[in-house]
Amino acid sequence: DDSVPRWMQRTGKGWVSAEYSMLPGSSPVRVDREAARGKQSGRTVEIQRLIGRSLRAACDMRVLGERQILIDCDVLQADGGTRTASICGGYLALHDALGRLMLDGTLKAHPLHSYCAAISVGIVQGVPVLDLPYEEDSTAAVDMNVVCLRPVAGGEARFVEVQGTAEGDAFTRSELDSLLGLAERGLEQIIDLQAEMVSVAPPRRA
């Protein structure tokens, strides 16, 4: 959109945000459409804000200029980790959208300075686990989501957000370090795959 929220006008900066929803058939038990209820749940609002924060951290808003990018994150299959999958896929969608603006001459430079990915980790039956499916996520003693940036030009990866919760027993510092190390290894693989994907020019509009 060639405009920004009112509070961003005349700042010379752009904005990136997200809308998240679970489609009715994404779960074995039908998920009600929040639009039909007339309001979003607190969970949905929290996830949307997380996705937006994460993607904005990878983007130079002054290079984007006073325009807004809205990322649609619709869950096709709810099997744990939908917010982290939304960030990973949302990054690719954002990259393609900005690439199209460069192809048509609207932007002179690509605003994304870093790759952005997210993954879940947890402790299940005393064992650190990466990328938990629903069966593990629902029984995990510790559940954590980790969002990371890696500069496109190379350099050290940096954390955007770490959300960690003890669902059962509280976790120790050594367990936290173990989980972060596991997350870093998973995120490195995801970002390598993102780098392969974005090495190809974005598809043109239909």
Side-chain angles (χ1 to χ4, degrees):
D1 191 355
D2 289 326
S3 64
V4 291
R6 183 175 299 176
W7 55 273
M8 289 287 296
Q9 292 175 358
R10 294 183 295 279
T11 64
K13 297 180 181 180
W15 191 247
V16 175
S17 58
E19 290 185 3
Y20 168 97
S21 65
M22 293 175 61
L23 298 182
S26 63
S27 173
V29 178
R30 184 184 185 277
V31 178
D32 290 339
R33 295 183 192 273
E34 292 184 335
R37 297 203 300 264
K39 64 177 295 186
Q40 292 180 314
S41 68
R43 174 184 179 276
T44 295
V45 172
E46 175 208 349
I47 292 174
Q48 288 181 168
R49 289 175 175 169
L50 171 64
I51 299 167
R53 282 195 305 273
S54 301
L55 297 179
R56 286 194 297 273
C59 189
D60 187 326
M61 296 302 167
R62 289 200 178 275
V63 176
L64 178 58
E66 289 199 22
R67 53 184 58 87
Q68 180 173 209
I69 308 290
L70 178 63
I71 306 298
D72 288 312
C73 303
D74 294 313
V75 177
L76 303 177
Q77 181 178 350
D79 188 28
T82 58
R83 69 190 70 193
T84 55
S86 294
I87 291 169
C88 295
Y91 174 83
L92 295 175
L94 177 60
H95 188 282
D96 278 1
L98 295 171
R100 290 192 185 100
L101 292 179
M102 288 192 67
L103 286 174
D104 65 20
T106 301
L107 291 175
K108 303 303 181 187
H110 207 296
L112 289 175
H113 54 71
S114 299
Y115 299 104
C116 179
I119 201 163
S120 63
V121 286
I123 297 177
V124 181
Q125 297 181 354
V127 179
V129 178
L130 180 69
D131 193 18
L132 285 69
Y134 174 77
E135 291 77 10
E136 293 176 340
D137 183 66
S138 61
T139 60
V142 177
D143 183 24
M144 185 176 296
N145 296 303
V146 182
V147 187
C148 187
L149 298 183
R150 189 175 80 190
V152 171
E156 185 180 11
R158 300 172 69 89
F159 294 113
V160 177
E161 192 146 347
V162 177
Q163 299 178 336
T165 305
E167 304 287 355
D169 294 334
F171 52 93
T172 65
R173 172 61 183 270
S174 63
E175 287 174 325
L176 173 60
D177 290 341
S178 175
L179 289 173
L180 288 176
L182 185 60
E184 284 179 316
R185 292 194 292 275
L187 289 165
E188 183 178 357
Q189 294 180 49
I190 294 172
I191 290 174
D192 285 345
L193 291 171
Q194 287 179 329
E196 289 182 23
M197 295 294 295
V198 301
S199 65
V200 179
R204 293 187 178 273
R205 294 183 179 88

